[in-house]
């Protein structure tokens, strides 16, 4: 992807800015060690006026006590997110730090992820729910192995927007040639990974100086050769993943709770004037819509593991005491059905005719997050939506080579490996390809002994036609 295309894409996003007004946008940061992620986050918060005065004073005092080497009266912006004692002592980020801020155009939830290889699992956690991820690269170092690892994870997770911030551009004298060389390397990696090949993910490259604020919130005069928007301008105008994918996905609704008051309402509800008789036969299923939308009158299927799908009609959608005619992801609602089926937590309500038969064979890509290696024959737990089932690792078929992005043969997966495996489930689940169903196609692999998360998994389709091999790598 050329620089001209990047600039044109950024300009088009700015033209669409009114569409992003007042929306919520989730983004995360990633990158190698000491690339300046926490400083960039601190600069975003500081320059967007999202820091309270007392917090700023506390950070200024800590910066002075630690002998921060900036200008007189300057502050170490990384301290705005690195709050753990070990983080401040070592000058690194260890855990994911979540921050909330807003501009006059949009509200943000920001996840500052660590850069060390051993904390790659935290990056997976932060990126898994993000609409966009900002990957930092030190302008003096260029694309590193950890950069390739992070971009591989983002491609695997189908993050809608990947923004590569070439940081510390001030330390290379704002050199255009240095930036263009790194930009070309990034685009090459993007092509090798297939970023953007699904029509959703896009890749933008921006030169920034997190320490001085160049091209972070305001466009910098020290990079006249860069004609694109500042980082915050991009974040304010990018469409959220739900906006991009809502028309591509069918309705999916994992049931979290069955609401059955049977006339016995809480005293404060009765005092508010609710009619107990009207709720005597009330039955609804509460949860969050993970994909698509639903209207009153739509035909839906109730999916219960081990049973055939049961078809019924939506007769009501309740939200915060009001009745809706339509709801869409990511709203949390209570849905009423025409038939009184036995529906419980862990079941899924989906658009009729859009679901495949449940399967006990799971073929998947795994981001292995544990120091305990994955071996064939291991017994694990698989958490899919609100349901957790036992599983057996039948085989490990390979892992990704970060140098070539090719799948190489392997019989086990180690910490931070990205590989493919086949699992046999103790009970069939309504598995769906992650490529088309980002939320219902994801699952966790859990250690049955201590409850720790071992891997983040993505369901893949099987190219074969055997009836017991519907899902594969």
């Amino acid at each position: 992807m050329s620089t001209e295309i990047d600039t044109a894409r950024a300009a088009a996003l700015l033209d669409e800015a009114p569409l992003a007004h007042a929306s919520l946008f989730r983004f995360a940061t990633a990158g190698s060690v000491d690339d300046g992620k926490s400083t960039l986050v601190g600069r975003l918060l500081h320059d967007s006026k999202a820091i309270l005065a007392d917090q700023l004073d506390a950070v200024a005092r800590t910066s002075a006590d630690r002998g921060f080497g900036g200008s007189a009266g300057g502050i170490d912006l990384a301290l705005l997110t690195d709050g753990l004692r070990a983080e401040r002592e070592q000058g690194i980020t260890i855990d994911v730090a979540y921050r909330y801020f807003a501009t006059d155009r949009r509200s943000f939830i920001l996840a500052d992820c660590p850069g060390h290889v051993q904390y790659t699992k935290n990056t997976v956690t932060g990126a898994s729910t993000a609409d966009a991820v900002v990957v930092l690269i030190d302008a003096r170092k260029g694309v590193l192995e950890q950069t390739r690892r992070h971009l591989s994870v983002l491609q695997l997770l189908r993050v809608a927007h990947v923004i590569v911030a070439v940081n510390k551009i001030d330390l290379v004298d704002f050199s255009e040639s240095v930036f263009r060389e790194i930009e070309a390397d990034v685009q090459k990696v993007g092509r090798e990974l297939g970023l953007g090949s699904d029509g959703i993910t896009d890749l933008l490259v921006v030169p920034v100086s997190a320490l001085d604020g160049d091209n972070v919130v305001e466009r910098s005069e020290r990079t006249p050769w860069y004609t694109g928007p500042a980082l915050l301008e991009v974040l304010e105008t990018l469409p959220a993943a739900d906006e991009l994918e809502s028309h591509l996905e069918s309705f999916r609704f994992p049931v979290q709770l069955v609401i059955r008051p049977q006339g016995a309402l809480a005293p404060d509800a009765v005092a508010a004037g609710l009619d107990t008789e009207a709720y005597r036969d009330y039955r609804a299923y509460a949860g969050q819509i993970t994909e698509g939308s639903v209207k009153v009158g739509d035909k839906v299927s109730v999916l219960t593991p081990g049973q055939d799908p049961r078809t019924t009609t939506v007769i009501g959608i309740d939200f915060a005491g009001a009745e809706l005619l339509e709801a869409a992801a990511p709203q949390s609602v209570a849905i009423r059905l025409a038939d009184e089926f036995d529906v419980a937590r862990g079941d899924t309500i989906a658009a009729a005719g859009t679901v495949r038969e449940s399967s006990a064979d799971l073929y998947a890509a795994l981001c292995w997050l544990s120091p305990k290696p994955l071996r064939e024959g291991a017994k694990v737990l698989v958490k899919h939506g609100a349901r957790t089932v036992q599983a057996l690792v039948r085989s490990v078929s390979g892992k990704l080579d970060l140098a070539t992005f090719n799948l190489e043969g392997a019989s086990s997966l180690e910490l931070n490996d990205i590989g493919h495996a086949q699992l046999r489930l103790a009970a069939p689940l309504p598995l769906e390809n992650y490529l088309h169903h980002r939320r219902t196609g994801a699952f966790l692999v859990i250690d049955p002994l201590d409850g720790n998360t071992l891997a983040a998994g993505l369901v893949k389709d099987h190219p074969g036609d055997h009836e017991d091999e519907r899902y594969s790598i």
Side-chain angles (χ1 to χ4, degrees), residues 71-95:
S71 59
I75 63 173
D76 185 355
L77 294 170
L79 297 180
L80 292 171
T81 55
D82 289 342
L84 298 178
R85 177 179 295 178
E87 292 178 322
R88 295 192 173 190
E89 289 176 350
Q90 300 179 52
I92 63 173
T93 301
I94 295 175
D95 199 5

Side-chain angles (χ1 to χ4, degrees), residues 78-245:
L79 297 180
L80 292 171
T81 55
D82 289 342
L84 298 178
R85 177 179 295 178
E87 292 178 322
R88 295 192 173 190
E89 289 176 350
Q90 300 179 52
I92 63 173
T93 301
I94 295 175
D95 199 5
V96 180
Y98 291 93
R99 292 294 180 267
Y100 310 88
F101 71 102
T103 66
D104 57 354
R105 303 178 72 178
R106 179 171 252 174
S107 297
F108 296 94
I109 299 177
L110 184 158
D112 180 28
C113 303
H116 282 66
V117 173
Q118 71 189 86
Y119 301 125
T120 299
K121 60 183 180 180
N122 301 47
T123 301
V124 175
T125 300
S128 62
T129 58
D131 298 306
V133 174
V134 179
V135 180
L136 271 78
I137 293 178
D138 190 325
R140 300 167 300 173
K141 301 176 182 177
V143 176
L144 303 175
E145 180 183 357
Q146 186 70 337
T147 309
R148 299 170 72 88
R149 177 178 286 107
H150 284 154
L151 291 175
S152 300
V153 168
L154 301 185
Q155 188 275 336
L156 197 64
L157 294 175
R158 282 186 70 235
V159 174
H161 310 287
V162 178
I163 307 162
V164 175
V166 181
N167 191 28
K168 304 184 182 181
I169 197 71
D170 54 309
L171 297 184
V172 294
D173 296 325
F174 300 94
S175 170
E176 179 180 7
S177 61
V178 171
F179 172 74
R180 298 303 179 199
E181 183 178 351
I182 295 175
E183 181 186 41
D185 290 342
V186 169
Q187 299 294 357
K188 181 175 182 292
V189 173
R191 287 191 298 272
E192 292 174 350
L193 284 171
L195 284 171
S197 60
D198 56 10
I200 293 178
T201 305
D202 51 44
L203 180 62
L204 300 175
V205 187
V206 182
V208 302
S209 170
L211 188 64
D212 295 336
D214 296 273
N215 294 324
V216 177
V217 172
E218 303 283 344
R219 302 188 195 191
S220 174
E221 295 180 354
R222 297 196 284 184
T223 54
W225 40 264
Y226 173 71
T227 58
L231 177 62
L232 184 60
E233 291 181 81
V234 175
L235 294 172
E236 286 181 326
T237 54
L238 288 173
D242 288 325
E243 298 174 53
L244 284 174
E245 300 178 350

Side-chain angles (χ1 to χ4, degrees), residues 278-321:
Y279 287 89
R280 184 172 299 280
D281 297 319
Y282 183 88
R283 184 193 300 270
Y285 308 100
Q288 183 184 43
I289 301 174
T290 56
E291 296 179 9
S293 62
V294 64
K295 298 178 182 178
V296 173
D298 281 356
K299 291 288 185 181
V300 294
S301 295
V302 177
L303 310 177
T304 300
Q307 298 183 25
D308 293 332
R310 294 160 291 168
T311 302
T312 183
T313 303
V314 176
I315 61 172
I317 304 172
D318 300 323
F319 172 75

Side-chain angles (χ1 to χ4, degrees), residues 46 49-63 75 79-80 88:
H46 180 273
K49 307 295 190 295
I51 303 298
L52 297 177
D54 57 345
Q55 183 183 9
L56 196 60
D57 289 342
V59 169
R61 289 195 300 272
T62 304
S63 299
I75 63 173
L79 297 180
L80 292 171
R88 295 192 173 190

